[in-house]
Amino acid sequence: MDIEMVRHLSDLGKLTFTDGELEKVAKDMTGIIEIMDTIKEIDISYDPIKDNHNVYLNSLREDRAMDSFPTEKILQNAVNSENCFVVPKVVE
């Protein structure tokens, strides 16, 4: 990016730069544009096969039905004895 383009953009943005600052901004902007051009080259297309590459279905545990905790044990510290928990009001 040349200094004249930076000067034009700074005028549009109502920014004031010295000549030295214009050169530094032009150099920085050129670096940013080069990075953005590099990023544009990266392939970001979706591949459903690669999407699940960390999921190994063979290593998952077997899905088995198990007995749950008895209701009496779960509710032993509950304030209400009608088989439910009382939750404090948080929204007025």
Side-chain angles (χ1 to χ4, degrees):
M1 179 171 281
D2 63 348
I3 293 177
E4 290 305 316
M5 177 62 81
V6 175
R7 182 174 282 126
H8 175 69
L9 292 173
S10 66
D11 288 342
L12 290 175
K14 297 183 181 179
L15 302 172
T16 306
F17 294 112
T18 65
D19 289 339
E21 290 172 332
L22 281 175
E23 289 178 18
K24 183 179 181 324
V25 170
K27 182 180 174 186
D28 291 345
M29 293 285 285
T30 302
I32 292 170
I33 291 170
E34 288 173 0
I35 291 171
M36 292 176 71
D37 287 340
T38 304
I39 291 173
K40 286 194 309 188
E41 295 173 6
I42 297 172
D43 180 23
I44 58 168
S45 59
Y46 178 74
D47 186 357
I49 294 172
K50 290 182 181 177
D51 188 36
N52 294 319
H53 71 280
N54 289 331
V55 176
Y56 302 104
L57 298 177
N58 296 335
S59 64
L60 297 176
R61 68 170 173 81
E62 181 183 341
D63 192 16
R64 293 178 287 153
M66 299 174 67
D67 293 334
S68 64
F69 284 107
T71 306
E72 298 81 28
K73 183 166 178 86
I74 294 173
L75 292 174
Q76 72 185 6
N77 292 327
V79 175
N80 194 341
S81 61
E82 298 177 11
N83 287 344
C84 64
F85 289 98
V86 177
V87 179
K89 187 175 181 180
V90 293
V91 178
E92 293 295 327

